[in-house]
Amino acid sequence: MTETTTGSTTGPATGSTSGTAEETADETAYGATVDHYVRFWNAGTPAEQRGLATATFADDVGYYAPVGVLSGAPALIGFHDEFTEHMGTVVFRARREPEIHHGRARLLWALDAAGKEPFATGTDVLVFDGDGRISTVTTFLDQAPEGFDPNAHH
């Protein structure tokens, strides 16, 4: 996967219309974590991916997706590696700025792979812990890959 970032998460795209300075600071920190999340899926080396996993995910992060439920950053790294081994070069990118409020973010994403742009699209709902790292990811497929069988992954 190739590195791609989402850009700034300040301003109207964060979903904040008003709030305390603390809420604004939290949203800025969460925006940085979302940027790390995108970079994690596009990490070029195992060392880069491990470093991003440590900065991005709570130790017991839960990942809930149509392909299954995973627990912990090592499981996410394994999923990434298995997916890219099967698919080859894949780019995970934000389709627009994430919306962030009340310790949660909604990230609309696309996967570009092997000349298919997009190969798939989806929405991830991210929940942040007290340290600003992601504790839960819930993934929805908005456009599943061609031939995807959601019943094959239980």
Side-chain angles (χ1 to χ4, degrees):
M1 293 187 163
T2 307
E3 183 175 331
T4 303
T5 60
T6 61
S8 172
T9 57
T10 58
T14 64
S16 176
T17 56
S18 66
T20 67
E22 183 178 334
E23 289 168 335
T24 302
D26 285 346
E27 288 177 4
T28 299
Y30 297 151
T33 301
V34 174
D35 285 344
H36 286 140
Y37 178 74
V38 172
R39 289 178 52 212
F40 167 82
W41 292 112
N42 293 308
T45 66
E48 179 186 13
Q49 190 176 44
R50 284 189 304 275
L52 285 164
T54 300
T56 305
F57 300 113
D59 294 338
D60 60 348
V61 61
Y63 183 83
Y64 302 86
V67 296
V69 176
L70 304 172
S71 182
L76 291 177
I77 291 170
F79 173 66
H80 166 272
D81 292 347
E82 186 178 313
F83 186 80
T84 55
E85 183 178 305
H86 177 71
M87 292 299 302
T89 302
V90 175
V91 176
F92 180 90
R93 62 179 171 83
R95 292 187 282 157
R96 68 176 197 207
E97 291 295 318
E99 297 170 278
I100 301 171
H101 66 83
H102 297 93
R104 287 158 175 72
R106 179 172 73 163
L107 174 67
L108 279 65
W109 53 262
L111 287 179
D112 299 334
K116 294 184 178 181
E117 298 177 11
F119 167 74
T121 63
T123 301
D124 285 0
V125 176
L126 311 172
V127 178
F128 302 96
D129 69 8
D131 294 327
R133 295 187 304 161
I134 297 170
S135 62
T136 306
V137 178
T138 304
T139 295
F140 297 90
L141 287 174
D142 300 335
Q143 173 195 328
E146 186 175 314
F148 177 75
D149 179 2
N151 298 315
H153 301 284
H154 290 282

